[in-house]
Amino acid sequence: TVEETEQLKELYKLLTAKEFQTRMEGVVLLLDHCKSRPQLISTNIVQIFDVFVLRLQDCNKKVNQQALEALALMTPMLRDALHPVLVSLVAAVTDNLNSKHLGIYAA
């Protein structure tokens, strides 16, 4: 629908913004959509997670940590829908295992 298209455009805009606070808003919005509209996210999982995976490797540690924490909450909600993006998710999460930042490592 037109409404869903607009929601996805807004999500992409926030997740790819220059300012780290705006990217953090995008992560929060994605998590909200997973809770309230999991079908919307599941249907567009590849396009959304192509952008979201970048936040799992964000140069800003706050964004990176928030994305990792959000992913932990999203995983049970999206379960089987994650199959097409699993390889990229595992690669991005694995990169964080070597982080010296305790919050990122813990997340």
Side-chain angles (χ1 to χ4, degrees):
T1 66
V2 174
E3 180 187 343
E4 288 176 339
T5 303
E6 289 304 314
Q7 289 176 338
L8 291 173
K9 282 182 186 177
E10 178 67 14
L11 181 62
Y12 297 141
K13 187 177 95 180
L14 292 174
L15 286 172
T16 57
K18 288 184 180 182
E19 297 79 27
F20 83 91
Q21 296 98 332
T22 308
R23 293 193 306 273
M24 289 177 74
E25 287 176 33
V27 171
V28 169
L29 181 60
L30 176 56
L31 184 56
D32 287 345
H33 283 325
C34 287
K35 291 175 184 172
S36 62
R37 312 218 32 218
Q39 189 61 42
L40 172 67
I41 303 305
S42 297
T43 304
N44 299 285
I45 195 95
V46 173
Q47 300 90 320
I48 293 168
F49 274 70
D50 279 351
V51 177
F52 178 67
V53 164
L54 300 174
R55 301 300 58 94
L56 294 170
Q57 300 168 317
D58 202 283
C59 59
N60 185 291
K61 299 208 182 316
K62 290 179 183 178
V63 177
N64 190 342
Q65 182 176 344
Q66 185 173 18
L68 287 165
E69 291 169 353
L71 178 62
L73 297 171
M74 284 186 252
T75 301
M77 290 181 236
L78 298 175
R79 286 214 272 275
D80 293 337
L82 290 172
H83 285 281
V85 295
L86 215 47
V87 172
S88 60
L89 282 177
V90 170
V93 170
T94 303
D95 288 345
N96 287 295
L97 291 175
N98 293 326
S99 178
K100 300 206 184 332
H101 186 278
L102 292 177
I104 290 173
Y105 182 80

